[in-house]
Amino acid sequence: MSSTALSPQQLGALLDILVHHETYSEAESFKYPDSIEKYGYPFNNSAQAQDGSEGERSQSPLLQLLLTRLILPIPGTRDLPSEFWTDKFRNLMKRFGEAELSESYDKGTLGSRKRLASAASVIHECITRGLLNGIPNDGLPDLHNKYDMKVADDLSKAWDDVVQHLVHGNLIDDLFDQFMKTSNIEDHSPAVKAAVDLAILYIATFLHHLFVLSAEGPYLLKLLSNVHTLVPYAMIGQTLRVGNAGTMINAMVKLFLAKVSVGAISNWLGLTQNAADGMNLMQRIISLVMEWDTSDFRKAADSIKRSKEGPNEALLTAIDEHLQAAREVHESIRELSQKDSKSIVVAILEARDEALVESLTETQHTQCLEYYSAQLAIRDREKITEVLCRQTPDLITSMVRDIVSVFEPMIRTIHKNVDIRKHLTSVESFLTDLIETSKPKKREDEQKKVVSVPPSVEDYVALLRRNRQLAYDYLHEFAEGCPDLRTTWLNWAKKSLESFRQPRGSENKISTENKSGGSSHPDKQLQNLFRDLPDDIQTSVKTAIDSHAKYLSILEGVSMARMQSIISGIDDYEKNKTGGNMGGPGVYITRWHCLLDSTVITPSAPRGPSRRGKDVKTQKALGKTEAIASSETWDPDALARQEEQEWPEPPDTAIVVEALGSQFRDLVAEISATGLPSK
């Protein structure tokens, strides 16, 4: 092997670095309205230029790869009209970009959007890494081997064995057949039963991070509870009682999407065009939740205005006027703040009048930061409501109607053969259970005193275990009562799983078809990207890759140890003999936190270096602290320190991204463009 060649382990680490960076960069780019224009298919009318030559490559190739390989072929989704993507979805994304929702840097905290977007990005990168790298065909193991359900290594092996059979074997056919016969998929084989247990552990860990370890957890829980309260389950259930499927669908559409207002009537009569036509029930729920949220931030901002020791009117007026400025002004002030190592508030005030800063006290500065954060939160919610509920034409309602239209044949079949009301009740009961599980628990401490403790990973494991049968029951009734739909979804699942296949003997499937129609060498593209680097850059890049490979190995070891801790102690925890774990398995969790920790945040002092996400991720924004009762929360800082103490510090891989990031994007853009329709 050449001294400049990368080993399979190094190639895996290199791919992890590049996919991790590229995925979040693509997701983050959609804060600008023109990003969707550079996405390519399906948001433009053609994947190729009009003259038949190759058109401009996607600037979001990993997102395009996921969308075109797995999501667009979904039954129903594949039948959506092209206008759904090229007109409605594209313009909705442009509206959100034009809304210029706030940045974490300005707010001084990691908000809910940042946390959810980074979590979605990490899940997305796991999938696209599989699409690029593929699952090697190492033979099909026996799924009826003995797996010890109390040993983490056995659960992990069972998962790998199941994945092998799903991607390279016929297990997906067997599982669909299993659901036709019974409502318990775990009876299929010991490997499937163990794989389900492992999946529960990973999902429970994600829910625990989202609702407990995240400082935004109680706030997200309140948001979920508000939506859950507003959904008219009883009315939906009564509508589902209608025997005729067409009548039922029309009634449901009217319930959620019908608008009754002067504007709606005048538009219908042709007296006006695109006049504001009010909101339907779906939009009313969205706007009410946003308004409830906004009221808490208004209270926080008003309390600062009324504070005797707080900032004067001139300071707050300068901040308010900056909020109304154009995007270019906001970006220039933000850039100036980072360049000159001063807080965003000081940069705003100095741009207005340097005299405003001269008498600014530390307390007033802190309150100005909190006021700006609260006003940004108010503006965000007003903009989201405007985009989804008030702008004309009403894109979101039109999109929902399109979705209902293409799924109507499927809905008719399911309504005829499955008791949907029963499963609606199951959804309602699961969400109620999730909300209750996410609240503090009463347990005895070592001194036998009853104390309030936050939910543990084991609580979420128990939640999923006692509710999994609800999903099994629906899938059984669906597979048994809707054979044609079962075949349709089976074909989609099989085709999707084929996208993850790696040919036998290959180590990496990143390749595109060459001009002769054959496949390129499996490792060739990444190897060539690395070999084309200058010698001195190669050395630095390889050092960073080796450090990252070691880091991933340590993460995997910590993840397995945590999984074993939960498996070994869950029985004692359920009997109140031991306390629960505040951390669960999953390398993806640490990758999620890497995105959060690296976020640049405004300095807390008037002058000083910028902070990072890891400095503020246990802090809630002002307004969210007032929205949650103290009895329903806990100290996220203490929990985060406890959970993260075992994780190693990630190595600096900036040199890898700098050297190979743009070339990798071009490579993935070429891969994602393969097989796209020409028109």
Side-chain angles (χ1 to χ4, degrees):
M1 179 180 289
S2 169
S3 60
T4 59
L6 297 174
S7 68
Q9 184 183 24
Q10 290 172 324
L11 282 170
L14 174 59
L15 183 65
D16 185 86
I17 294 169
L18 295 175
V19 169
H20 180 71
H21 174 267
E22 176 64 21
T23 304
Y24 191 69
S25 295
E26 292 179 15
E28 193 176 32
S29 70
F30 285 97
K31 62 187 178 183
Y32 297 105
D34 62 340
S35 293
I36 193 69
E37 304 290 348
K38 301 175 183 178
Y39 191 104
Y41 182 83
F43 301 113
N44 59 13
N45 291 319
S46 175
Q48 295 182 346
Q50 293 293 329
D51 60 2
S53 61
E54 290 189 350
E56 185 177 352
R57 297 298 192 192
S58 173
Q59 293 300 302
S60 303
L62 285 177
L63 286 168
Q64 187 186 58
L65 184 69
L66 177 68
L67 183 66
T68 56
R69 300 302 192 271
L70 301 182
I71 298 176
L72 288 184
I74 291 176
T77 304
R78 63 194 178 201
D79 299 320
L80 286 167
S82 61
E83 294 79 14
F84 178 91
W85 304 105
T86 60
D87 181 19
K88 299 172 185 178
F89 195 99
R90 181 173 69 174
N91 285 326
L92 183 67
M93 292 297 292
K94 286 179 68 175
R95 286 181 181 180
F96 273 114
E98 291 164 354
E100 194 199 354
L101 301 178
S102 63
E103 296 275 347
S104 296
Y105 182 88
D106 294 4
K107 293 172 71 174
T109 58
L110 298 173
S112 302
R113 280 187 297 109
K114 181 72 175 183
R115 294 175 191 270
L116 293 176
S118 54
S121 176
V122 169
I123 295 171
H124 165 39
E125 77 172 79
C126 292
I127 299 171
T128 48
R129 192 165 57 245
L131 289 171
L132 291 171
N133 202 38
I135 305 297
N137 187 354
D138 296 330
L140 299 178
D142 185 1
L143 298 180
H144 292 275
N145 283 332
K146 184 178 180 181
Y147 300 92
D148 191 336
M149 306 297 285
K150 292 293 184 181
V151 177
D153 287 334
D154 279 22
L155 293 189
S156 182
K157 182 180 186 305
W159 177 266
D160 292 340
D161 292 348
V162 165
V163 169
Q164 279 288 321
H165 276 268
L166 283 172
V167 175
H168 296 287
N170 299 314
L171 180 58
I172 191 65
D173 297 274
D174 296 343
L175 294 181
F176 272 72
D177 291 340
Q178 179 75 9
F179 272 123
M180 284 190 65
K181 302 173 187 175
T182 176
S183 61
N184 192 350
I185 191 177
E186 297 172 34
D187 290 341
H188 175 273
S189 61
V192 169
K193 179 177 175 60
V196 169
D197 265 20
L198 183 138
I200 285 175
L201 288 172
Y202 274 76
I203 297 171
T205 300
F206 177 78
L207 292 174
H208 184 261
H209 270 261
L210 190 64
F211 291 115
V212 180
L213 293 182
S214 167
E216 298 281 313
Y219 165 76
L220 290 173
L221 186 65
K222 184 196 174 191
L223 206 61
L224 175 63
S225 180
N226 287 342
V227 174
H228 185 52
T229 302
L230 286 172
V231 174
Y233 291 105
M235 192 177 296
I236 296 172
Q238 288 298 318
T239 306
L240 291 173
R241 292 174 66 91
V242 177
N244 183 280
T247 304
M248 183 275 295
I249 294 171
N250 288 334
M252 197 71 72
V253 168
K254 287 181 179 178
L255 173 64
F256 279 97
L257 303 182
K259 298 183 179 184
V260 181
S261 68
V262 174
I265 294 172
S266 63
N267 284 339
W268 181 69
L269 292 174
L271 301 176
T272 58
Q273 186 176 10
N274 291 334
D277 52 359
M279 298 184 196
N280 52 45
L281 177 59
M282 176 187 70
Q283 292 170 321
R284 181 63 61 187
I285 290 174
I286 295 171
S287 64
L288 278 175
V289 171
M290 291 292 105
E291 181 57 35
W292 288 347
D293 217 14
T294 300
S295 65
D296 293 319
F297 289 101
R298 285 202 178 100
K299 292 176 185 176
D302 289 342
S303 67
I304 293 175
K305 287 182 178 180
R306 294 192 301 266
S307 175
K308 294 180 180 180
E309 302 292 330
N312 58 45
E313 185 177 349
L315 297 173
L316 299 183
T317 299
I319 292 173
D320 289 336
E321 291 181 354
H322 175 75
L323 278 166
Q324 306 305 319
R327 181 194 291 266
E328 292 74 17
V329 175
H330 295 159
E331 291 181 344
S332 64
I333 293 294
R334 191 179 303 120
E335 183 179 351
L336 188 65
S337 169
Q338 297 184 50
K339 178 183 176 182
D340 294 346
S341 297
K342 55 189 176 186
S343 80
I344 188 69
V345 162
V346 170
I348 292 170
L349 298 178
E350 286 184 344
R352 174 68 180 272
D353 183 356
E354 292 188 0
L356 292 172
V357 183
E358 293 176 359
S359 59
L360 187 68
T361 66
E362 289 281 351
T363 301
Q364 289 175 332
H365 175 262
T366 299
Q367 290 180 315
C368 281
L369 283 174
E370 293 175 343
Y371 179 80
Y372 185 41
S373 177
Q375 293 288 30
L376 285 170
I378 293 170
R379 180 181 178 276
D380 285 347
R381 283 146 184 80
E382 290 175 344
K383 289 290 186 179
I384 291 171
T385 302
E386 181 182 350
V387 168
L388 295 178
C389 307
R390 296 197 173 98
Q391 289 187 353
T392 54
D394 183 355
L395 295 177
I396 189 68
T397 298
S398 179
M399 290 171 65
V400 173
R401 289 186 184 276
D402 285 347
I403 293 171
V404 171
S405 178
V406 298
F407 279 94
E408 182 172 343
M410 201 177 299
I411 296 171
R412 286 175 178 270
T413 302
I414 295 174
H415 180 265
K416 180 181 178 181
N417 298 286
V418 178
D419 183 3
I420 306 178
R421 286 177 299 150
K422 180 178 73 174
H423 301 295
L424 174 68
T425 303
S426 297
V427 172
E428 182 182 11
S429 66
F430 171 73
L431 290 176
T432 302
D433 198 358
L434 171 62
I435 292 168
E436 288 301 314
T437 298
S438 302
K439 294 179 179 179
K441 304 289 182 292
K442 299 294 184 182
R443 296 181 70 90
E444 289 186 353
D445 61 11
E446 296 178 355
Q447 286 76 36
K448 301 298 181 181
K449 293 181 179 179
V450 178
V451 295
S452 179
V453 297
S456 66
V457 177
E458 286 85 348
D459 287 315
Y460 288 96
V461 170
L463 165 74
L464 297 173
R465 284 182 174 177
R466 64 177 172 263
N467 284 282
R468 59 183 165 182
Q469 193 59 46
L470 300 178
Y472 294 168
D473 289 343
Y474 170 75
L475 292 172
H476 170 57
E477 292 186 23
F478 171 82
E480 186 180 42
C482 311
D484 291 340
L485 288 182
R486 185 188 75 88
T487 301
T488 299
W489 282 94
L490 173 60
N491 291 336
W492 168 77
K494 292 170 71 173
K495 188 68 176 178
S496 297
L497 288 169
E498 288 176 5
S499 301
F500 293 92
R501 286 182 180 174
Q502 183 184 114
R504 183 184 293 273
S506 298
E507 295 171 340
N508 189 311
K509 84 166 192 180
I510 294 182
S511 62
T512 57
E513 295 297 314
N514 59 29
K515 293 182 180 179
S516 63
S519 296
S520 303
H521 191 275
D523 295 335
K524 189 173 182 180
Q525 289 87 350
L526 283 180
Q527 293 281 19
N528 286 344
L529 291 181
F530 177 75
R531 284 172 178 158
D532 289 343
L533 296 174
D535 291 343
D536 57 332
I537 301 296
Q538 273 191 12
T539 302
S540 300
V541 167
K542 183 175 282 190
T543 300
I545 291 174
D546 288 338
S547 298
H548 191 71
K550 182 179 179 181
Y551 169 70
L552 292 177
S553 177
I554 295 173
L555 291 184
E556 187 63 35
V558 173
S559 176
M560 292 296 290
R562 289 187 166 195
M563 188 193 306
Q564 187 61 60
S565 175
I566 294 172
I567 295 171
S568 301
I570 193 167
D571 291 338
D572 288 339
Y573 177 79
E574 291 176 348
K575 297 174 184 177
N576 290 330
K577 293 182 178 179
T578 60
N581 285 273
M582 287 297 122
V587 172
Y588 74 97
I589 291 291
T590 62
R591 310 298 281 144
W592 178 13
H593 281 279
C594 284
L595 291 175
L596 296 177
D597 291 348
S598 61
T599 304
V600 183
I601 304 293
T602 183
S604 58
R607 310 279 176 179
S610 297
R611 293 173 291 172
R612 293 288 171 173
K614 62 183 177 181
D615 302 318
V616 301
K617 69 180 180 181
T618 59
Q619 300 174 14
K620 290 190 287 288
L622 188 67
K624 294 181 180 180
T625 54
E626 299 179 1
I628 309 298
S630 59
S631 60
E632 297 181 4
T633 188
W634 41 81
D635 181 7
D637 190 31
L639 292 183
R641 287 197 301 269
Q642 177 184 345
E643 196 277 335
E644 295 177 6
Q645 60 185 353
E646 298 175 357
W647 296 117
E649 282 292 319
D652 184 1
T653 56
I655 182 65
V656 180
V657 175
E658 181 181 343
L660 297 172
S662 61
Q663 299 96 309
F664 178 73
R665 171 177 287 191
D666 292 340
L667 170 61
V668 178
E670 184 180 354
I671 295 170
S672 68
T674 305
L676 295 182
S678 60
K679 61 180 179 179

